[in-house]
C-alpha cells in the first residue's frame, strides 16, 4: 500500500501575493477588499451632455462620446438627432497598460462618411483624484467643450466624473474595460462579472389514494387503471391498481422537483391499459403548485378530491364533457427536505428548503480569485492559440462569475466574494472556463472547461488566510493533464466557536430525511431532475451561465461507470483496512516473540488490565489521545487538493480512459464492446468470489445452532453448556488470564497446523450454490425423463423451464421425450 510520490507539477503550491490581509499598512482597502492584490484603474463616467451644436444640414446632430487614452479607445452608443443625450456609461482603463499622460474625451457627430468633432475635454492624469471605498462615489461635473485649437465652443457642455480607483469600486463590474477593448456588441455582456442565485427548489409529494366513478369506453372488461403525473419535463406513473374496478385504489407516492417561481402546473391523467401498447385517457386534472400546501414537518396533510376532466371528439372538434369522475389526492410541497442538486460528496449547502427551518449562520467564507498562469490554449484565433478565461465559484445558492480576461494565458482577476456559512462540513467549488461567446451569440461554441478546484471548509483553520496555487487537472482520453494553475486566497471566519462545534453533533441533513427517508433510487432520480432545473434556470439568466458550465460544476456525470473510479475505490478500501492489517501483523509479531522486550511489556500490561478491568477503557482512550497528539506534528498545513494517485488517474490504462469517455449508449464497435464486456465479466467474477467467501463465513456462523450439520451442532451446544458451567464457577480474571497467556505463548509451544476451533469452523456447512447449476449453459434439445410427476419435481428443484411435451412412440411405458430449455441461475 505504499504510494509513489505525487508529481511535483500536480502538487499544491503556497504563494505570497501582495494582499492586504494581515498587513499593517492602514489602507482603507485592506478593511473590505483585502484578499486580492490592488489593481489601479482610471475610471471615466460619461453621464450626459446638453446644448450640443448642430453639425448636419438640418441643424441637428447624432452625438456619441469617444474616450481615448493612448492606444485604447472606448465609445458610447449614439443618439439620432438629440442635442441633450444621456449615456451614463463608465469606462475603466488599467493603469498597468496606460502609455499616455493625457486623457481625451471627445464628443462626435455620427456621420456616414466621416464623423465630425463637436468638442472635447482634456485631463492631465497627474491631476486626477483618487477614490477608495467606502468613500462615496465622486460627483460628476459639467465641463465646457473645446475645439481642436483649445478654444471654448459657444454652446455645449459634457457632464463627466474622472477618478483613479481600484477593482473595489462600485463602477468596476459594469464598466467598459480596456482589457477587453476588442470585444463589442453582444459579447460585452458575456464578459462581465456577475452574481447568480440558484432557484429555490422544492420536493413535490403526490400521494395518489383512489379514484371514483371512472367511465371506461369498454365496459365488458375489467379496467387496468394507472395514474400518470407530469411536471415540466418530469414524468412518473403509479402501478396498475390491483382492484380492477371503476373505483381503483393505489395509495402510492410520487415525488418531483419544482423551482420557484412555479411556472408549470402538475398534470395528472388517469389512464386505462386497453392493449399492450395502447392506453385510454379516462380523465385529466391540472393542479397549479401555487395553491398547494407547504409542509415543514412530518405532520400529515389533508386530502382533497379533484375533478377529472374528460375530452371527447365530436365531429372533429374536442368538446369537454360534464363532470364524470374524480380523484382523491394528498399533495404538498415538502419544505423540510434539502433538495440535493450537486454531488453528495461535495455538497455546499445542507439546509432545508423552508427558510423558517434555517439556523443562524456560523461564519463567513471569503474567496479572492487572484490570477491564473500557464493556461493551455483552448481555441485558435488568427492562426494562433488563445484563451479567454473566467472563473465560476459556487457555494450554497450563490454562484459568482468573474469577468473574462481576453486573449491571455496569465489572466489577473483580483476579485473578492463572500458567502454566509451555515455548516462547516461543506465544500466550495471553483471552476475555470474558456469563454466561447465573446463575439455574441453566434460567434462561438460552448464554454470549454479548463479545470476545477474544491476546498472543504472543515479543513480550514479559523481566521487564517490560505494563499495557494492550485493545479487545474483534467482527465483526457490520453491521461491526466495539467491545464494551468489558478491562484486563490481563502479565509473562513467563525462568528461563534460554540455554535460551530455544536454543528458537529447535529444530523448532516434536515430531520425529514431521517423521519421519512427517501430511497436511494428516488434521491438519484430527483437529484438528476434538480440539476436539470438549475441548469435551465441559470442558462436563462442575462448574461446566461451556460448549461455546460453548470453541469460541470454540479458533477452531472458522476454516476457513470468508470473502471478507474472502481479501482480508486478499491484502493480506498484497502487503505482503510491497512491500519487493521498493520495491527494484526504487529500482534502476530508479539505472539511470535519477534521482539522479546516488547512482548514482555505487553504481558505485563495485559496482566494489569485483567487484574484491574476498570482500567481497560481509560487505557484505550489514553492511548488514542497519545496517538492523536503524536500525529499532530504531521497534520496537513494546506487544504487537501486532488491527488492523482488516489483517483488512479496516473496509472489508468488508455482503453479504460476511452471507456470512461464513451457516451451512453455506447458508440463503439461490437469487437471493442465485447472485449470490455469480457473484462467486466472477469472483474465481476473476482468480486463474486469475494462476496461468496464472505457469505460462506456468515452462513457457517449461522449453522452453529441451525442443526444443518447435526453432529457439529451437537458438539457446539455441548461445548456451550460446559463453557457456561466453567465460567460460572471460575472468576472471569482467571479465565481471561489463562486465555491471554495461551494466545501469547512462546513459539516453541505452538504448532504449525491450524487450531482445533478453526478446523471445526471450516468444516461447518454453508449454502454454497452447487457448481453443476452455476455451470450449465443455455441450450435446448430432446431429453428422456420419467413421467409428468417426476418432470414437475425436477422443475421445482432445478428451475428448468419446459417448452413443450411431446410423446414419442417406441419408448418405455411411463416415459416422455421432452424438449426443455435449461437456464443457469
Amino acid at each position: 500500500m505504499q504510494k509513489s510520490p505525487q508529481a511535483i507539477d500536480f502538487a499544491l503550491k503556497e504563494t505570497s501575493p501582495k494582499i492586504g490581509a494581515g498587513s499593517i499598512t492602514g489602507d482603507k482597502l485592506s478593511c473590505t477588499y483585502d484578499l486580492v492584490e490592488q489593481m489601479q484603474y482610471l475610471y471615466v463616467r460619461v453621464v450626459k451632455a446638453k446644448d450640443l451644436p448642430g453639425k448636419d444640414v438640418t441643424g441637428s446632430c447624432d452625438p456619441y462620446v469617444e474616450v481615448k487614452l493612448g492606444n485604447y479607445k472606448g465609445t458610447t452608443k449614439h443618439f439620432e438627432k438629440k442635442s441633450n443625450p444621456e449615456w451614463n456609461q463608465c469606462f475603466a482603463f488599467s493603469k498597468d497598460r496606460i502609455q499616455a499622460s493625457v486623457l481625451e474625451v471627445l464628443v462626435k457627430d455620427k456621420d456616414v462618411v466621416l464623423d465630425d468633432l463637436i468638442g472635447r475635454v482634456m485631463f492631465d492624469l497627474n491631476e486626477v483624484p483618487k477614490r477608495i471605498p467606502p468613500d462615496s462615489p465622486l460627483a460628476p461635473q459639467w465641463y465646457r467643450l473645446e475645439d481642436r485649437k483649445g478654444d471654448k465652443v459657444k454652446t455645449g457642455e459634457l457632464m463627466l466624473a474622472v477618478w483613479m480607483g481600484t477593482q473595489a469600486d462600485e463602477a468596476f463590474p459594469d464598466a467598459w474595460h480596456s482589457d477587453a477593448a476588442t470585444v463589442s456588441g453582444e459579447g460585452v455582456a458575456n464578459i462581465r462579472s456577475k452574481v447568480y442565485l440558484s432557484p429555490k427548489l422544492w420536493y413535490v409529494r403526490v400521494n395518489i389514494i383512489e379514484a371514483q366513478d371512472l367511465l371506461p369506453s369498454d365496459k365488458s372488461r375489467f379496467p387496468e387503471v394507472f395514474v400518470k403525473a407530469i411536471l415540466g419535463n418530469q414524468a412518473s406513473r403509479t402501478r396498475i391498481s390491483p382492484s380492477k374496478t371503476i373505483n381503483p385504489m393505489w395509495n402510492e407516492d410520487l415525488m418531483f422537483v419544482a423551482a420557484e417561481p412555479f411556472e408549470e402546473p402538475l398534470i395528472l391523467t388517469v389512464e386505462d391499459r386497453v392493449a399492450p401498447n395502447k392506453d385510454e385517457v379516462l380523465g385529466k386534472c391540472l393542479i397549479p403548485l401555487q395553491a398547494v400546501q407547504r409542509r415543514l414537518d412530518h405532520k400529515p396533510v389533508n386530502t382533497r378530491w379533484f375533478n377529472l376532466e374528460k375530452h371527447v371528439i365530436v365531429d372533429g372538434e374536442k368538446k369537454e364533457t360534464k363532470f364524470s369522475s374524480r380523484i382523491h389526492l394528498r399533495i404538498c410541497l415538502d419544505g423540510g427536505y434539502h433538495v440535493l442538486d450537486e454531488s453528495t460528496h461535495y455538497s455546499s449547502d445542507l439546509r432545508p428548503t423552508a427558510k423558517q427551518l434555517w439556523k443562524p449562520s456560523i461564519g463567513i467564507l471569503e474567496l479572492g480569485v487572484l490570477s491564473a498562469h500557464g493556461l493551455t490554449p483552448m481555441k485558435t484565433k488568427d492562426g494562433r492559440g488563445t484563451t479567454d478565461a473566467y472563473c465560476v465559484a459556487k457555494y450554497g445558492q450563490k454562484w459568482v462569475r468573474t469577468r473574462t480576461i481576453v486573449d491571455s494565458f496569465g489572466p489577473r482577476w483580483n476579485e473578492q466574494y463572500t458567502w454566509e456559512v451555515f455548516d462547516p462540513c461543506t465544500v466550495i467549488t471553483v471552476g475555470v472556463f474558456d469563454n466561447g461567446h465573446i463575439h455574441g451569440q453566434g460567434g462561438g461554441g460552448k464554454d470549454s472547461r479548463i479545470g476545477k478546484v474544491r476546498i472543504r471548509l472543515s479543513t480550514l483553520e479559523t481566521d487564517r488566510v490560505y494563499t495557494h496555487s492550485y493545479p487545474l487537472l483534467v482527465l483526457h482520453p490520453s491521461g491526466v493533464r495539467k491545464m494551468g494553475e489558478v491562484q486563490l486566497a481563502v479565509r473562513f471566519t467563525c462568528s461563534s466557536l460554540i455554535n460551530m462545534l455544536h454543528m458537529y453533533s447535529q444530523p448532516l441533513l434536515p430531520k425529514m430525511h431521517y423521519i421519512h427517508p427517501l430511497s436511494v433510487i428516488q434521491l438519484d432520480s430527483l437529484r438528476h431532475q434538480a440539476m436539470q432545473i438549475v441548469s435551465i434556470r441559470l442558462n436563462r439568466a442575462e448574461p446566461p451561465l451556460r448549461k455546460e458550465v453548470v453541469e460541470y460544476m454540479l458533477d452531472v456525470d458522476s454516476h457513470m461507470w468508470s473502471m478507474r473510479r472502481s479501482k480508486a475505490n478499491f484502493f480506498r478500501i484497502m487503505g482503510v483496512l491497512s491500519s487493521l492489517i498493520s495491527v494484526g501483523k504487529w500482534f502476530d509479531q508479539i505472539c511470535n516473540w519477534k521482539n522479546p522486550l516488547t512482548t514482555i511489556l505487553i504481558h505485563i500490561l495485559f496482566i494489569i488490565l485483567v487484574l484491574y478491568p476498570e482500567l481497560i477503557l481509560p487505557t484505550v482512550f489514553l492511548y488514542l489521545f497519545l496517538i492523536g497528539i503524536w500525529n499532530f506534528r504531521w497534520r496537513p498545513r494546506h487544504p487537501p487538493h486532488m491527488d492523482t494517485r488516489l483517483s488512479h488517474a496516473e496509472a489508468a490504462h488508455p482503453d479504460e480512459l476511452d471507456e470512461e469517455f464513451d457516451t451512453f449508449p455506447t458508440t463503439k464497435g461490437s469487437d471493442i464492446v465485447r472485449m470490455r464486456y469480457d473484462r467486466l465479466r472477469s472483474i465481476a467474477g473476482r468480486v463474486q468470489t469475494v462476496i461468496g467467501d464472505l457469505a460462506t463465513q456468515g452462513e457457517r456462523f449461522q449453522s452453529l445452532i441451525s442443526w444443518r450439520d447435526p453432529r457439529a451442532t451437537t458438539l457446539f451446544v455441548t461445548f456451550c453448556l460446559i463453557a457456561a458451567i466453567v465460567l460460572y464457577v471460575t472468576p472471569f480474571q482467571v479465565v481471561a488470564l489463562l486465555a491471554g497467556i495461551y494466545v501469547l505463548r512462546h513459539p516453541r509451544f505452538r504448532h504449525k497446523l491450524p487450531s482445533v476451533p478453526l478446523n471445526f469452523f471450516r468444516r461447518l456447512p454453508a449454502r454454497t450454490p452447487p457448481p453443476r447449476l452455476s455451470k450449465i449453459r443455455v441450450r435446448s434439445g430432446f431429453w428422456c425423463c420419467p413421467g409428468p410427476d417426476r418432470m414437475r419435481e425436477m422443475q421445482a428443484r432445478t428451475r428448468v423451464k419446459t417448452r413443450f411435451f411431446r410423446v414419442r412412440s417406441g419408448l418405455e411405458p411411463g416415459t416422455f421425450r421432452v424438449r426443455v430449455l435449461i437456464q443457469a441461475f
Side-chain angles (χ1 to χ4, degrees):
M1 296 305 297
Q2 293 293 330
K3 296 185 297 185
S4 59
Q6 188 175 11
I8 299 178
D9 202 32
F10 295 164
L12 198 66
K13 301 175 184 177
E14 189 169 8
T15 59
S16 301
K18 298 178 181 179
I19 60 178
S23 64
I24 52 175
T25 58
D27 194 347
K28 291 182 180 179
L29 184 65
S30 63
C31 300
T32 57
Y33 219 63
D34 60 342
L35 291 184
V36 294
E37 298 179 0
Q38 293 189 29
M39 299 179 68
Q40 299 292 329
Y41 285 89
L42 173 64
Y43 290 97
V44 182
R45 179 178 292 280
V46 181
V47 183
K48 58 184 176 179
K50 67 178 180 179
D51 301 332
L52 296 179
K55 290 291 183 180
D56 296 338
V57 178
T58 59
S60 62
C61 66
D62 304 327
Y64 71 94
V65 175
E66 180 180 285
V67 182
K68 189 175 181 181
L69 182 63
N71 296 327
Y72 294 102
K73 181 174 62 175
T75 59
T76 66
K77 61 181 179 180
H78 78 279
F79 292 94
E80 294 184 0
K81 299 180 180 181
K82 194 170 185 180
S83 60
N84 298 309
E86 292 187 9
W87 294 282
N88 196 24
Q89 189 170 342
C90 189
F91 299 84
F93 298 87
S94 176
K95 187 178 179 181
D96 296 339
R97 300 187 180 184
I98 293 178
Q99 298 177 354
S101 59
V102 177
L103 170 70
E104 293 183 81
V105 182
L106 301 93
V107 183
K108 292 187 176 183
D109 177 40
K110 190 75 173 178
D111 206 343
V112 178
V113 181
L114 182 64
D115 298 341
D116 299 324
L117 177 66
I118 298 177
R120 65 180 182 178
V121 180
M122 308 285 288
F123 293 92
D124 187 354
L125 297 187
N126 295 324
E127 298 179 359
V128 173
K130 291 185 178 181
R131 175 186 175 262
I132 298 178
D135 289 349
S136 298
L138 193 66
Q141 301 179 20
W142 287 104
Y143 293 90
R144 287 287 300 273
L145 297 178
E146 301 175 352
D147 56 18
R148 294 189 183 277
K149 298 179 180 180
D151 299 331
K152 299 294 183 181
V153 180
K154 293 182 179 180
T155 60
E157 291 182 287
L158 183 63
M159 180 177 281
L160 294 172
V162 182
W163 72 96
M164 291 295 299
T166 64
Q167 72 271 32
D169 202 290
E170 293 87 351
F172 179 80
D174 297 325
W176 174 94
H177 287 271
S178 59
D179 297 338
T182 58
V183 181
S184 59
E186 297 179 2
V188 175
N190 292 320
I191 65 173
R192 290 175 175 168
S193 58
K194 293 293 180 181
V195 175
Y196 303 85
L197 290 179
S198 294
K200 192 175 184 179
L201 302 178
W202 293 79
Y203 280 148
V204 182
R205 186 187 296 271
V206 186
N207 179 235
I208 302 175
I209 303 174
E210 59 181 335
Q212 284 186 353
D213 304 327
L214 299 179
L215 296 176
S217 58
D218 186 3
K219 299 183 179 180
S220 62
R221 53 178 289 275
F222 295 106
E224 299 180 359
V225 185
F226 63 92
V227 179
K228 182 186 294 184
I230 300 176
L231 181 60
N233 59 353
Q234 308 171 64
S236 184
R237 50 160 289 180
T238 66
R239 66 185 188 281
I240 295 177
S241 173
S243 56
K244 299 182 178 181
T245 64
I246 61 173
N247 299 315
M249 298 186 67
W250 294 277
N251 195 23
E252 189 171 340
D253 276 353
L254 302 179
M255 296 287 292
F256 301 93
V257 179
E260 290 185 351
F262 303 120
E263 299 176 349
E264 298 171 332
L266 177 66
I267 303 174
L268 297 177
T269 57
V270 181
E271 303 183 16
D272 180 20
R273 178 63 54 85
V274 296
N277 295 319
K278 183 179 179 181
D279 300 326
E280 177 191 3
V281 178
L282 304 181
K284 186 176 181 180
C285 176
L286 273 70
I287 304 175
L289 296 183
Q290 292 86 345
V292 174
Q293 180 181 349
R294 303 187 178 192
R295 185 173 71 167
L296 306 182
D297 50 22
H298 61 282
K299 295 181 181 178
V301 179
N302 296 329
T303 61
R304 289 180 58 188
W305 287 94
F306 293 88
N307 296 335
L308 292 174
E309 301 174 355
K310 186 176 182 181
H311 302 281
V312 295
I313 306 298
V314 179
D315 297 332
E317 296 182 359
K318 186 169 69 173
K319 295 185 177 180
E320 182 178 327
T321 61
K322 295 182 179 180
F323 164 72
S324 60
S325 54
R326 58 181 186 167
I327 188 170
H328 195 194
L329 303 175
R330 181 183 287 110
I331 180 172
C332 66
L333 293 168
D334 269 330
Y337 290 92
H338 169 68
V339 182
L340 297 170
D341 61 340
E342 52 192 341
S343 176
T344 54
H345 301 291
Y346 302 105
S347 295
S348 63
D349 188 12
L350 301 171
R351 293 171 294 171
T353 300
K355 198 170 183 178
Q356 300 92 319
L357 302 178
W358 290 4
K359 296 179 180 179
S361 63
I362 62 171
I364 296 293
L365 172 65
E366 298 170 274
L367 172 69
V369 184
L370 301 178
S371 62
H373 57 273
L375 296 183
T376 304
M378 301 302 295
K379 55 179 177 284
T380 303
K381 181 181 179 182
D382 298 332
R384 62 183 182 86
T386 181
T387 298
D388 307 318
Y390 68 92
C391 284
V392 175
K394 196 265 182 190
Y395 183 79
Q397 296 181 346
K398 180 179 175 181
W399 298 65
V400 299
R401 170 179 174 168
T402 67
R403 71 190 189 282
T404 300
I405 305 298
V406 180
D407 194 12
S408 176
F409 299 129
R412 296 177 62 218
W413 295 286
N414 284 303
E415 299 182 25
Q416 184 170 340
Y417 301 94
T418 61
W419 289 267
E420 279 189 302
V421 177
F422 295 86
D423 194 319
C425 301
T426 47
V427 177
I428 180 173
T429 304
V430 181
V432 184
F433 300 88
D434 173 65
N435 197 330
H437 301 81
I438 61 174
H439 300 293
Q441 297 294 331
K446 294 184 177 181
D447 290 355
S448 304
R449 58 184 70 171
I450 299 179
K452 184 166 52 180
V453 175
R454 285 194 170 102
I455 303 174
R456 189 172 296 275
L457 269 61
S458 59
T459 63
L460 304 179
E461 297 180 10
T462 307
D463 298 326
R464 176 183 169 185
V465 178
Y466 291 85
T467 55
H468 292 89
S469 182
Y470 296 82
L472 299 172
L473 305 178
V474 175
L475 195 64
H476 282 254
S478 58
V480 63
R481 286 177 53 188
K482 181 179 178 181
M483 308 295 289
E485 295 184 5
V486 61
Q487 188 177 4
L488 304 176
V490 184
R491 177 171 58 199
F492 173 44
T493 305
C494 178
S495 57
S496 175
L497 181 61
I498 296 177
N499 290 341
M500 184 178 66
L501 296 179
H502 177 67
M503 289 298 300
Y504 282 88
S505 65
Q506 300 300 306
L508 192 64
L509 294 170
K511 64 178 182 180
M512 283 293 291
H513 286 268
Y514 306 97
I515 298 176
H516 290 294
L518 303 175
S519 66
V520 176
I521 298 178
Q522 274 184 312
L523 287 175
D524 188 61
S525 174
L526 293 173
R527 174 177 171 258
H528 178 73
Q529 296 297 337
M531 287 191 297
Q532 294 298 322
I533 292 175
V534 172
S535 174
I536 293 173
R537 287 291 181 91
L538 294 181
N539 194 35
R540 288 167 50 189
E542 188 61 38
L545 196 61
R546 306 290 172 179
K547 180 180 180 181
E548 59 270 18
V549 174
V550 177
E551 290 182 348
Y552 181 57
M553 297 288 287
L554 296 179
D555 284 338
V556 70
D557 56 351
S558 61
H559 64 285
M560 299 299 293
W561 157 258
S562 168
M563 181 73 72
R564 175 188 58 83
R565 281 199 292 262
S566 301
K567 289 182 178 179
N569 289 333
F570 170 76
F571 283 109
R572 286 173 57 200
I573 295 176
M574 293 302 296
V576 172
L577 297 178
S578 62
S579 58
L580 298 178
I581 296 174
S582 300
V583 172
K585 291 181 178 178
W586 172 80
F587 186 73
D588 184 67
Q589 293 177 357
I590 296 297
C591 295
N592 287 282
W593 291 70
K594 297 292 184 182
N595 190 339
L597 180 60
T598 305
T599 304
I600 293 173
L601 293 176
I602 293 298
H603 276 79
I604 296 174
L605 178 62
F606 171 72
I607 294 173
I608 294 175
L609 294 179
V610 169
L611 297 179
Y612 303 96
E614 64 274 6
L615 297 178
I616 295 178
L617 289 179
T619 303
V620 171
F621 285 107
L622 180 61
Y623 182 65
L624 295 176
F625 168 77
L626 294 176
I627 293 177
I629 295 299
W630 179 262
N631 291 336
F632 179 77
R633 299 190 304 172
W634 295 282
R635 71 189 186 279
R637 303 301 178 101
H638 312 303
H641 185 54
M642 179 185 295
D643 192 338
T644 54
R645 299 164 300 172
L646 293 179
S647 60
H648 211 69
E650 292 180 342
H653 191 271
D655 184 70
E656 296 174 0
L657 295 176
D658 185 64
E659 180 184 14
E660 185 171 348
F661 281 90
D662 193 9
T663 58
F664 186 86
T666 181
T667 57
K668 302 298 181 180
S670 58
D671 295 338
I672 297 178
V673 174
R674 184 179 294 109
M675 181 270 294
R676 292 175 179 173
Y677 174 65
D678 291 339
R679 180 177 61 193
L680 185 61
R681 286 176 61 193
S682 65
I683 296 174
R686 280 176 277 177
V687 174
Q688 170 185 283
T689 302
V690 174
I691 295 176
D693 291 341
L694 294 176
T696 298
Q697 308 308 320
E699 290 171 352
R700 284 173 176 170
F701 273 108
Q702 292 179 347
S703 64
L704 285 172
I705 54 176
S706 63
W707 295 94
R708 293 194 63 204
D709 185 341
R711 286 168 291 278
T713 304
T714 301
L715 291 173
F716 180 72
V717 171
T718 305
F719 169 78
C720 291
L721 176 63
I722 297 174
I725 297 174
V726 172
L727 293 176
Y728 181 77
V729 299
T730 307
F732 176 77
Q733 287 87 344
V734 175
V735 177
L737 190 62
L738 295 176
I741 293 177
Y742 176 78
V743 171
L744 297 173
R745 67 190 185 277
H746 197 272
R748 69 175 59 183
F749 301 108
R750 296 177 182 273
H751 299 285
K752 294 183 178 181
L753 298 178
S755 61
V756 173
L758 186 59
N759 293 331
F760 177 78
F761 182 77
R762 287 177 176 175
R763 290 177 175 274
L764 293 174
R767 295 183 176 90
T768 306
R772 60 183 180 87
L773 282 184
S774 61
K775 293 295 183 181
I776 291 180
R777 297 184 181 274
V778 179
R779 56 185 175 179
S780 60
F782 286 100
W783 294 67
C784 287
C785 57
D789 296 336
R790 180 60 178 166
M791 188 63 198
R792 294 189 189 96
E793 182 180 355
M794 290 176 62
Q795 280 185 304
R797 287 188 177 183
T798 63
R799 302 165 87 179
V800 173
K801 294 185 179 179
T802 305
R803 285 293 178 86
F804 56 86
F805 293 85
R806 187 159 56 178
V807 181
R808 290 292 183 90
S809 60
L811 299 178
E812 297 180 5
T815 61
F816 296 82
R817 185 176 293 275
V818 184
R819 184 177 181 86
V820 297
L821 177 67
I822 300 179
Q823 295 182 338
F825 295 91

